[in-house]
């Protein structure tokens, strides 16, 4: 198998911008050591960068720390920074750009002749626009357009883009190029480059996708025709140019098989992959190369009436290949119709290393299916608890004589099975954060190995895995208005917004958008709000069982919020113009040019009696309300108000 490196492009840089004409020259601030970089950048041939240092001891060493590029989801590494050479005495560097775009090169100069050693960084911004070397975004647009002309279904589109990458990219065994620029423009890259390029292409044709990692490798989750599948373009690009079956071993796998390929793969609840319907070997029929050779042995066992049996796998192919192919072959064999002279047979096949195990159920020809209990009751009292940013516990009442329960959730308006459990509860610990979930449960009974499911589902339950970030922000605040922005919840159809009135939550409105402007608010009032997601399912609204945290703002009036009386040489009385709905106020004052919290007041006045004479004091306030013992502070402060104590 091909080696790979999992490079996560996370950057936090302060960019120094400049606009001089070529050749550019960028100067770093000098504290005894100054740095300049001169260059002439172009595409298609090496661009030379010369780093010059001045000041200090002259004992300089030079280093190119990393090369990044602006992308659609932020900056990313073009070259794996761990592959770049260490500090050197030569002050020239070369790099070949293969696509137009905005790049950043991070240069460092180290002066080893001073103590402590001094280091300066200079970030060079390079903007390239060469029609002969289009941007990777333009390349992706063109490839996606070709795909849409040639393909109709999700499967066809995902496969076409998969093949395009196999034909236009080779694995980078130097492990240098880790961004989509490598796969799309340079023609070589690591697994990170393949995955990021594939997601760029999939996004353009409207196919949902996700990132999956395991054993230091990265590949792609792809949603095709309603189900999630695992696709590893990198490992499918194994050097074979004639598109043999080995170029498709990892197209359309489920989580079970992928866990055999990568020992630490954990199914992601956001894109559980439990289907093989769109597996390449199944869809193309190529799996019959391996499954057909087992049919004779299977039929002999069935004719003998064996209910369980095993068939060893005799193959010279690598075990990694065998695990994939014969797992898919087992699926194919389970999907086929089997009979003997007297019975029809339900056959379940399961691959285990080096063999396939079979479980057969015989039904006499002409007889009905085995008797099963009818009208299995619906699951009742479905509820959710222990909610967190990535977890929840689902529980419900037991159904008498039930063998187990099927749990489904609504994804893209389609019910998808999450799992089956034998207990009347399920703990989810790896859910996606900031997501609206709708779930339902039904019972099933197993008789003679056959599961019969209830025709009746439980009532629906919904919940949200809120993140810890600020869920509600306020802007454009005025005496009678505000813009309320909700942090959009994934898969939410709409939102219910409530306001706290006289200690009770009252629904203000239901909105489809996350940004909403209120223009008829009451002046001089503390507003405390919260929201929850909901979605309309089969004509009925299904609301999240949990609300966001509460957030507040104040519609301050134009009147003075703070006044002062009884001013003397050592103090004064601070009076607060009461704000509607406020349970108290946070009081702040200016100290050494900074706002410092004095404390919280539950009254509308405060007497100061130990101040300095002849000194100016500046205060401001913000209101708060108390909910379940917790103070919810207004997001906005009042204006600043001052007084000066009298001189002695």
């Amino acid at each position: 198998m091909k080696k790979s490196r999992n490079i996560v492009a996370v950057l936090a840089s302060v960019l120094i911008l400049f606009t001089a004409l070529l050749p550019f020259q960028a100067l770093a601030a000098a504290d005894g050591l100054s740095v300049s970089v001169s260059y002439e950048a172009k595409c298609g041939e090496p661009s030379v960068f010369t780093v010059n240092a001045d000041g200090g001891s002259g004992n300089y060493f030079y280093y190119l720390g990393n090369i990044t590029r602006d992308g659609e989801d932020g900056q990313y590494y073009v070259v794996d920074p761990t592959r770049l050479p260490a500090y050197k005495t030569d002050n020239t560097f070369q790099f070949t750009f293969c696509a137009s775009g905005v790049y950043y090169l991070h240069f460092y100069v180290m002066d080893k002749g001073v103590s402590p050693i001094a280091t300066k960084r200079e970030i060079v911004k390079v903007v390239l626009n060469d029609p002969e070397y289009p941007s990777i975004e333009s390349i992706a647009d063109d490839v996606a357009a070709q795909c849409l002309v040639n393909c109709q279904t999700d499967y066809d589109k995902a496969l076409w883009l998969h093949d395009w990458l196999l034909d236009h990219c080779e694995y980078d065994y130097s492990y240098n190029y880790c961004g989509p620029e490598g796969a799309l423009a340079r023609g070589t890259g690591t697994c990170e480059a393949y995955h990021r390029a594939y997601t760029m292409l999939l996004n353009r044709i409207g196919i949902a996708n996700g990132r999956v990692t395991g054993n230091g490798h990265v590949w792609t989750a792809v949603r095709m025709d309603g189900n999630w599948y695992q696709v590893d373009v990198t490992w499918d690009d194994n050097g074979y140019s004639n598109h043999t079956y080995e170029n498709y071993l990892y197209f359309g796998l489920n989580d079970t098989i992928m866990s055999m390929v990568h020992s630490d793969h954990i199914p992601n609840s956001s894109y559980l992959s439990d289907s093989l319907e769109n597996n390449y070997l199944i869809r193309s029929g190529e799996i019959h190369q391996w499954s057909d050779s087992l049919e004779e042995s299977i039929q002999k066992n069935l004719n003998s009436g064996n209910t369980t049996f095993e068939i060893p796998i005799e193959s010279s192919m690598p075990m990694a290949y065998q695990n994939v192919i014969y797992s898919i072959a087992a699926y194919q064999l389970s999907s086929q119709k089997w009979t003997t002279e007297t019975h029809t047979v339900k056959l379940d096949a399961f691959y285990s290393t080096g063999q396939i195990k079979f479980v057969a159920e015989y039904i006499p020809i002409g007889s009905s299916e085995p008797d099963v209990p009818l009208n299995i009751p619906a699951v009742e009292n479905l509820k959710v608890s222990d909610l967190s940013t990535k977890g929840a516990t689902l529980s419900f009442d037991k159904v008498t004589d039930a063998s187990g329960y099927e749990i489904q959730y609504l994804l893209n308006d389609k019910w998808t099975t999450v799992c089956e459990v034998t207990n009347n509860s399920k703990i989810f610990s790896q859910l996606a954060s900031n997501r609206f979930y709708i779930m339902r449960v039904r019972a099933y009974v197993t008789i003679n190995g056959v599961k019969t499911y209830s025709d009746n589902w439980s009532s629906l339950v919904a919940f949200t895995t809120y993140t810890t970030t600020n869920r509600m922000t306020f802007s454009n605040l005025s005496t009678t208005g505000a813009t309320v922005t909700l942090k959009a919840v994934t898969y939410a159809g709409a939102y219910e917004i409530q306001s706290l009135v006289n200690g009770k939550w009252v629904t203000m409105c239901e909105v489809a958008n996350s940004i909403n402007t209120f223009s008829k608010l009451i002046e001089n009032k503390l507003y405390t709000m919260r929201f929850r997601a909901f979605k309309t399912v089969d004509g009925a609204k299904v609301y999240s069982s949990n609300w966001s945290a509460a957030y507040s703002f104040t519609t301050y009036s134009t009147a003075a919020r703070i006044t002062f009386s009884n001013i003397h040489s050592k103090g004064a009385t601070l009076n607060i113009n009461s704000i509607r709905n406020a349970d108290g106020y946070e009081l702040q004052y200016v100290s050494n040019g900074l706002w410092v919290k004095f404390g919280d007041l539950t009254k509308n006045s405060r007497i100061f009696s130990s101040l300095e004479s002849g000194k100016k004091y500046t205060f401001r306030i913000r209101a708060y309300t108390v909910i379940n013992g917790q103070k919810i502070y207004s997001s906005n402060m009042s204006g600043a108000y001052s007084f000066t104590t009298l001189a002695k």
Side-chain angles (χ1 to χ4, degrees):
M1 292 296 177
K2 170 180 304 189
K3 286 188 175 181
S4 58
R5 296 179 60 87
N6 181 10
I7 307 299
V8 181
V10 179
L11 303 174
S13 303
V14 178
L15 300 180
I16 302 174
L17 306 181
F18 48 90
T19 58
L21 296 175
L22 289 174
F24 291 104
Q25 190 167 28
L27 299 176
D31 293 320
L33 175 63
S34 63
V35 178
S36 67
V37 180
S38 58
Y39 63 94
E40 184 172 354
K42 63 193 74 174
C43 288
E45 58 183 271
S47 297
V48 178
F49 295 81
T50 302
V51 183
N52 299 299
D54 193 19
S57 70
N59 186 15
Y60 305 135
F61 289 80
Y62 306 89
Y63 174 50
L64 174 56
N66 55 62
I67 304 170
T68 63
R69 184 186 184 277
D70 281 344
E72 295 174 338
D73 55 353
Q75 287 189 41
Y76 63 85
Y77 289 117
V78 176
V79 177
D80 180 353
T82 66
R83 310 300 300 179
L84 292 170
Y87 277 97
K88 62 177 186 175
T89 56
D90 181 10
N91 68 336
T92 60
F93 299 85
Q94 290 188 4
F95 183 74
T96 301
F97 299 95
C98 292
S100 296
V102 180
Y103 297 82
Y104 303 90
L105 286 78
H106 299 230
F107 293 99
Y108 295 81
V109 175
M110 179 187 296
D111 185 355
K112 287 191 173 182
V114 296
S115 181
I117 294 174
T119 304
K120 286 289 183 180
R121 181 180 66 173
E122 172 66 355
I123 304 176
V124 174
K125 178 181 179 181
V126 176
V127 180
L128 296 171
N129 187 11
D130 188 337
E132 295 186 6
Y133 294 87
S135 68
I136 62 171
E137 292 78 13
S138 296
I139 295 172
D141 289 342
D142 291 343
V143 174
Q146 296 175 48
C147 176
L148 293 175
V149 169
N150 289 280
C151 305
Q152 297 295 323
T153 68
D154 289 349
Y155 172 84
D156 291 337
K157 295 172 186 176
L159 183 63
W160 193 95
L161 295 177
H162 166 280
D163 289 354
W164 187 92
L165 281 171
L166 264 59
D167 291 338
H168 291 81
C169 187
E170 294 182 357
Y171 189 76
D172 178 16
Y173 284 99
S174 69
Y175 312 125
N176 284 323
Y177 301 106
C178 57
E181 180 265 359
L184 293 173
R186 201 172 292 272
T188 186
T190 63
C191 61
E192 186 73 37
Y194 277 85
H195 165 71
R196 291 174 66 92
Y198 196 35
T199 60
M200 282 184 67
L201 297 172
L202 291 170
N203 288 337
R204 279 164 166 74
I205 61 173
I207 291 184
N209 57 82
R211 179 187 181 87
V212 192
T213 60
N215 298 93
H217 183 51
V218 60
W219 63 94
T220 312
V222 181
R223 186 173 175 81
M224 292 182 279
D225 305 317
N227 291 313
W228 284 100
Y229 299 87
Q230 308 278 304
V231 177
D232 191 339
V233 184
T234 309
W235 278 19
D236 273 347
D237 193 9
N238 48 28
Y240 296 97
S241 59
N242 56 345
H243 286 197
T244 68
Y245 77 90
E246 294 169 284
N247 294 118
Y248 299 99
L249 278 177
Y250 307 101
F251 187 93
L253 298 184
N254 58 21
D255 284 318
T256 300
I257 300 177
M258 193 57 79
S259 296
M260 299 175 69
V261 177
H262 295 287
S263 59
D264 65 355
H265 169 62
I266 299 175
N268 188 311
S269 59
S270 296
Y271 22 82
L272 291 172
S273 306
D274 55 8
S275 174
L276 287 175
E277 290 181 14
N278 274 339
N279 172 268
Y280 174 80
L281 297 179
I282 294 293
R283 286 287 297 263
S284 67
E286 289 194 24
I287 193 60
H288 288 282
Q289 295 182 50
W290 299 276
S291 62
D292 287 358
S293 63
L294 303 174
E295 290 183 356
E296 183 178 352
S297 295
I298 295 172
Q299 194 64 56
K300 287 181 179 179
N301 278 277
L302 298 181
N303 292 340
S304 299
N306 296 330
T307 56
T308 61
F309 54 94
E310 300 172 356
I311 297 178
I313 301 302
E314 298 178 0
S315 173
S316 61
M317 69 173 58
M319 183 58 68
Y321 284 14
Q322 180 176 303
N323 289 341
V324 174
I325 287 174
Y326 284 98
S327 293
I328 299 170
Y331 172 86
Q332 172 62 38
L333 294 167
S334 296
S335 303
Q336 296 177 198
K337 293 182 178 180
W338 297 91
T339 62
T340 67
E341 291 184 356
T342 57
H343 292 76
T344 60
V345 184
K346 290 184 177 179
L347 187 66
D348 288 324
F350 309 92
Y351 173 79
S352 180
T353 305
Q355 61 184 357
I356 297 182
K357 299 179 180 180
F358 298 87
V359 177
E361 179 187 357
Y362 297 85
I363 303 169
I365 293 176
S367 69
S368 61
E369 294 288 327
D371 291 335
V372 295
L374 301 176
N375 299 321
I376 303 172
V379 170
E380 295 183 350
N381 197 27
L382 180 62
K383 58 186 178 181
V384 66
S385 60
D386 302 326
L387 286 159
S388 66
T389 59
K390 291 187 177 181
T393 298
L394 200 67
S395 59
F396 42 89
D397 293 343
K398 289 184 177 180
V399 173
T400 303
D401 296 327
S403 303
Y405 306 89
E406 178 185 12
I407 300 175
Q408 289 190 339
Y409 73 112
L410 195 64
L411 179 64
N412 294 331
D413 296 322
K414 179 181 178 181
W415 286 106
T416 301
T417 298
V418 181
C419 60
E420 291 186 348
V421 297
T422 55
N423 297 320
N424 62 323
S425 66
K426 170 64 177 177
I427 298 175
F428 296 97
S429 60
Q430 294 183 325
L431 300 177
S433 61
N434 189 42
R435 177 169 166 178
F436 180 56
Y437 285 90
I438 299 178
M439 293 189 174
R440 66 181 185 180
V441 180
R442 66 174 175 176
Y444 66 83
V445 173
T446 303
I447 296 179
N448 296 327
V450 178
K451 293 178 180 177
T452 300
Y453 294 85
S454 172
D455 293 329
N456 303 306
W457 290 90
S458 68
S459 57
L460 306 182
V461 67
F463 60 91
T464 304
T465 51
Y466 294 109
T467 64
T468 55
T469 57
N470 199 17
R471 311 300 307 161
M472 183 180 286
T473 56
F474 310 102
S475 58
N476 302 322
L477 293 164
S478 67
T479 57
T480 58
T483 297
V484 179
T485 301
L486 315 178
K487 185 172 178 60
V489 177
T490 305
Y491 296 124
Y495 307 93
E496 176 186 6
I497 299 177
Q498 289 192 338
S499 178
L500 194 65
V501 179
N502 297 325
K504 295 182 179 180
W505 288 106
V506 177
T507 296
M508 295 181 65
C509 58
E510 291 185 346
V511 296
N513 299 317
S514 58
I515 301 177
N516 301 275
T517 298
F518 298 90
S519 59
K520 296 182 180 180
L521 302 179
I522 299 174
E523 184 177 341
N524 190 41
K525 182 177 179 179
L526 176 68
Y527 282 88
T528 303
M529 296 182 178
R530 66 180 186 177
F531 73 93
R532 64 175 174 174
F534 72 87
K535 190 177 182 68
T536 300
V537 181
D538 296 330
K541 294 177 181 177
V542 183
Y543 293 87
S544 176
S545 61
N546 56 324
W547 292 84
S548 73
Y551 302 90
S552 296
F553 67 92
T554 305
T555 54
Y556 292 110
S557 67
T558 56
R561 308 313 313 154
I562 300 175
T563 60
F564 306 97
S565 60
N566 303 322
I567 300 173
H568 53 88
S569 61
K570 291 188 177 181
T573 299
L574 181 149
N575 304 291
I576 298 173
N577 190 345
S578 180
I579 298 173
R580 295 181 181 89
N581 285 0
D583 291 323
Y585 307 91
E586 178 187 358
L587 181 63
Q588 295 184 355
Y589 68 98
V590 175
S591 175
N592 296 323
L594 300 174
W595 285 106
V596 178
K597 182 172 180 175
F598 175 82
D600 288 341
L601 308 179
T602 56
K603 297 181 179 180
N604 291 345
S605 64
R606 166 73 188 191
I607 298 175
F608 295 94
S609 58
S610 301
L611 304 179
E612 296 182 26
S613 61
K615 183 176 179 180
K616 181 179 179 180
Y617 289 87
T618 302
F619 294 89
R620 67 180 183 181
I621 60 165
R622 63 172 175 171
Y624 68 80
T625 189
V626 179
I627 302 176
N628 297 327
Q630 180 183 3
K631 294 176 180 178
I632 309 298
Y633 292 90
S634 173
S635 63
N636 55 324
M637 306 289 300
S638 71
Y641 301 89
S642 302
F643 75 94
T644 302
T645 55
L646 300 178
K648 289 185 178 180

